[in-house]
């Protein structure tokens, strides 16, 4: 028997696991009590690693479509097929004719983070899409404009705060996002034990709300309104105290002026929160010794996502809580920390909208276009039309808005390649599927998530099992694709490409040193390990990979420390509190205040006499991970989880009964779902979890197909986006609901 210590790759909490194996079998999976960040905490999904290891439906051989059928092929055949089909499209129609979609698991994958940019750059397509625009893009846009880089996202210092105001996040179920902090239940309990307060703002009374001191329902899509009311109160009542931040901030005066138009009394009707309650929230936050506002996906996947994301940090600045212990702080990770390279305290800032989507003209952010545009880019003929698609660890047919339209568009493509572990809703349309190794066959280091951790930590795990079969490793697949896209064919010298990647990182990491000398120090490492070693050596803690290999429970590099002004990368060297594009977008919010009340309650203009008018939001579930963990039996057993939550008052009005069924319609589509009546959801709102709908023909996921559920994104309207970030509106979708 062997014991392995390994970081869980499934969510942002990065829990340490203790895995016992016997030969090629997983015997047990437990929390690693000695892990420096998680101290033994895990959630039920961790066992999914064993199930995934044993899953007979998980792909291990490439599939190539022959006569309409996906059949097994050799790696060489698969790469040749990709070259044969894609290269002519690139030659004839240009780079933009091939789109790429990068899914969520890439963010948890060292190989993908290091080598993903190699093939994307070789492809050179402006039609690059990812799960970011159905997720956190608004926060990246606001953080980029305010602090200067796309990953300068302040993290709530939950372990030292006395007052935590949470909007649109349910970390007891999601285990935290843009906040790597395992065991949020324990962390929230400790805030209350030390006399602090936790307030949750959510259209549902969630598990997190149950642990909080206080919960308020809010109308979906109106967090920016509520936050404006809070900021206005701080200003009007003289409660602001930016302290040392004042000298590091541009635009304070402008913000003070702007928010005076949005007193709680004015935003209350839209947000559904009483004006006096909004004022009390502001006063209590200002009075707290150490307080912080934290907001997540309920505030980003909505109509005013960028405004809400911005206002969270405006509140944190005005209360003096940004960059202060117990407030919102900037992590300093051991490797790849974006906002610690270059000259401290100044930078180029971010440039957004360098190109626009061809059909709708939505702006690019950080190299990608909004995925809500993908279907129309495939459908609309003409120069720049998308004719082929590459998906890597993504399931856009389930995860992005108006799934029905996207699916039809994908069916019309000339060619599609997927790198994935299943034949699922999306990959079933591919011409070639390249299997990715299972997590236990990969090494692991959270290059991205450690930049958002509640403490500075570093933890490397080697693979638990050797790679099964003779195929390439995942990073080698990326380089093979890079070879094909750069015109070198299916047999490019990928070792040379790897050397090139490492050399580039060496030059960037040590601009004043001879790259040969730097590379000699990390010999004989290759692949992601070589690059990680370089990044660790270049990082602020001067770590090496060998040191991490010697500390299997991770290295604790201490709590957050203040980083302003060093962390800033704006051209001014200041926090930009009133970025011009965001300020301009306030006009849209102002106009929303005058929407008729029935529209605010969910009705879509003109249809206000329809009693079924509701707004749809989502919800996450503990034993689920977006769309792809439903083939693991222990995670799906039990009663049907893909149900619609509705408030008792609405249920009665609409003639719905608990356990009955409802038909839900939107501009985009229609689904029929089982009904669960609960007072944990506010009146006027219904909730359906995303990530289900596994019953389409051709899906090869036997367990998932037994518990298919419905795909809630059939209802999400791709025409609704947050205009600054292009992020899709997935919460607050107008729907009509009828009984059946
Ligand atoms: N309505 C609604 N829609 C939502 C959301 C919501 O809250 N509501 N949330 C959004 C959010 S936050 C996100 S992040 C997106 C997620 O959107 P996606 O990333 O598109 O979807 P996932 O379900 O995460 O799909 C992951 C894919 O990767 C494959 N996979 C798993 N592990 C690996 C691996 O190691 N390697 C490879 N190559 N493939 C792997 C899986 O089989 C699956 O096909 O969904 C979004 N969609
Ligand atoms: N178990 C599990 N864990 C996961 C995932 C999963 O699918 N399952 N997905 C992972 C991913 S990719 C991500 S991005 C994170 C997301 O992590 P979280 O952001 O914590 O995600 P949710 O649990 O969906 O919580 C969002 C909350 O917002 C509420 N909400 C909806 N609309 C609004 C609104 O307009 N305003 C406000 N204030 N609240 C609103 C919803 O009711 C919900 O409770 O979770 C990650 N962890
Ligand atoms: S909380 Fe996330 S990282 Fe921790 S065990 Fe569960 S899925 Fe894995
Ligand atoms: Mo996400």
């Amino acid at each position: 028997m062997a014991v392995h210590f390994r970081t869980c790759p499934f969510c942002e909490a990065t829990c340490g696991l203790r895995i016992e194996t016997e030969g090629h079998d997983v015997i047990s999976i437990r929390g690693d009590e000695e892990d420096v960040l998680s101290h033994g905490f895990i959630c039920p999904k961790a066992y999914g690693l064993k199930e995934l290891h044993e899953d007979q439906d998980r792909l291990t051989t490439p599939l190539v479509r022959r006569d309409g059928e996906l059949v097994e092929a050799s790696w060489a055949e698969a790469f040749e097929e990709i070259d044969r089909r894609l290269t002519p499209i690139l030659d004839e129609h240009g780079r933009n004719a091939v789109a790429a979609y990068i899914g969520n698991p890439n963010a948890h994958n060292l190989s993908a983070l290091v080598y993903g940019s190699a093939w994307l750059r070789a492809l050179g397509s402006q039609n690059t899409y990812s799960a970011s625009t159905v997720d956190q893009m608004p926060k990246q846009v606001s953080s980029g404009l305010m602090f200067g880089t796309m990953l300068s996202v302040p993290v709530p210092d939950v372990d030292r705060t006395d007052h935590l105001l949470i909007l649109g996040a349910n970390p007891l179920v999601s285990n935290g996002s843009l906040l790597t902090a395992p065991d949020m239940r324990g962390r929230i309990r400790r805030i209350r034990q030390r006399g602090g307060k936790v307030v949750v703002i959510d259209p549902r009374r969630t598990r997190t709300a149950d642990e909080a001191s206080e919960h308020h329902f809010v109308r979906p899509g109106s967090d920016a309104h509520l936050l404006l009311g809070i900021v206005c109160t701080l200003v009007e009542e003289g409660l602001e105290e930016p302290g040392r931040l004042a000298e590091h901030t541009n635009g304070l005066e402008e913000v003070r002026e702007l928010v005076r138009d949005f007193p709680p009394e004015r935003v209350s009707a839209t947000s559904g929160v009483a004006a006096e309650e909004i004022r009390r929230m502001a006063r209590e936050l200002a009075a707290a010794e150490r307080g912080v506002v934290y907001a997540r996906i309920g505030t980003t996947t909505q109509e005013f996502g960028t405004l809400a994301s911005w206002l969270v940090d405006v509140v944190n600045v005005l209360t003096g809580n940004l960059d202060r212990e117990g407030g919102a702080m900037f992590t300093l990770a051991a490797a790849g920390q974006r906002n610690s390279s270059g000259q401290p305290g100044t930078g180029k800032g971010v440039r957004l909208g360098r190109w626009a989507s061809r059909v709708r003209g939505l702006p690019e952010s950080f190299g990608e276009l909004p995925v809500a545009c993908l279907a129309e880019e495939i459908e609309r003929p003409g120069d720049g039309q998308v004719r082929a698609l590459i998906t890597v660890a993504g399931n856009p047919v389930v995860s992005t808005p108006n799934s029905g339209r996207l699916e039809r568009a994908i069916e019309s493509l000339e060619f599609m390649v997927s790198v994935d572990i299943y034949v699922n809703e999306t990959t079933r349309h591919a011409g070639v599927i390249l299997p990715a190794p299972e997590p236990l066959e990969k090494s692991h280091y959270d290059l991205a998530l450690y930049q958002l951790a509640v403490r500075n930590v570093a933890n490397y795990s080697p693979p638990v099992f050797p790679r099964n079969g003779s195929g390439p490793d995942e990073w080698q697949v990326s380089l093979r694709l890079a070879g094909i896209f750069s015109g070198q064919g299916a047999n490019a010298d990928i070792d040379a490409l790897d050397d090139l990647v490492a050399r580039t990182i060496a030059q960037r990491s040590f601009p004043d040193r001879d790259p040969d000398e730097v590379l000699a120090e990390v010999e004989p490492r290759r692949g992601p390990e070589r690059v990680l070693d370089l990044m660790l050596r270049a990082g602020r803690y001067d770590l090496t990979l060998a040191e991490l290999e010697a500390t299997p429970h991770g290295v604790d590099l201490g709590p957050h420390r203040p980083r302003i002004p060093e962390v800033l990368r704006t051209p001014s060297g200041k926090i930009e509190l009133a970025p011009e594009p965001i300020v301009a977008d306030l006009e849209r919010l102002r106009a929303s205040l005058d929407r008729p009340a029935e529209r605010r309650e969910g009705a879509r203009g003109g249809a206000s006499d329809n009693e079924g008018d509701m707004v749809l939001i989502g919800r996450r579930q503990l034993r689920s991970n977006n769309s792809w963990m439903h083939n693991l039996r222990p995670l799906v057993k039990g009663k049907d989880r893909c149900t619609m939550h509705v408030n008792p008052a609405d249920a009665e009005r609409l003639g719905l009964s608990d356990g009955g069924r409802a038909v839900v319609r939107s501009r985009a589509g229609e689904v029929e779902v089982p009904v669960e009546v609960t007072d944990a959801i506010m009146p006027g709102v219904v909730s359906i979890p995303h990530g289900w709908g596994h019953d389409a023909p051709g899906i090869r996921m036997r367990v998932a197909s037994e518990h298919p559920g419905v795909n809630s994104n059939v209802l999400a309207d791709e025409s609704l986006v947050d205009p600054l970030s292009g992020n899709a509106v997935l919460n607050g979708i107008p729907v009509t609901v009828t009984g059946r």
Side-chain angles (χ1 to χ4, degrees), residues 620-635:
R620 281 178 162 69
Q621 300 172 315
L622 194 58
R623 287 182 293 134
S624 210
N625 200 19
N626 297 323
S627 74
W628 70 274
M629 289 182 84
H630 299 148
N631 207 49
L632 310 177
R633 201 171 290 279
L635 299 185

Side-chain angles (χ1 to χ4, degrees), residues 45 104 135 167-171 173-174 177 201-204 206 218 220-221 223 296-298 302 617 620-622 624-626 731:
K45 286 207 298 291
N104 169 276
D135 189 346
L167 300 102
N170 186 11
V173 166
S174 68
S177 184
I201 314 281
D202 197 303
R204 295 185 306 123
T206 59
V218 66
D223 298 270
R296 217 18 214 112
I297 207 157
Q302 53 138 295
I617 62 171
R620 281 178 162 69
Q621 300 172 315
L622 194 58
S624 210
N625 200 19
N626 297 323
N731 283 295

Side-chain angles (χ1 to χ4, degrees), residues 535-585:
M535 288 177 157
L536 287 165
R537 285 162 191 262
R540 293 284 180 86
Y541 305 94
D542 293 326
L543 284 166
T544 64
L545 184 52
E547 288 170 76
L548 293 191
E549 284 169 329
T551 47
H553 311 291
V555 180
D556 181 20
L557 302 163
H560 293 148
R561 283 173 280 269
R563 290 192 59 196
I564 286 181
E566 160 271 315
V567 70
L568 299 171
R569 290 294 181 276
T570 49
S572 61
K574 304 234 172 158
I575 301 167
E576 294 296 346
L577 205 62
E580 190 273 321
I582 295 184
V583 167
D585 197 35

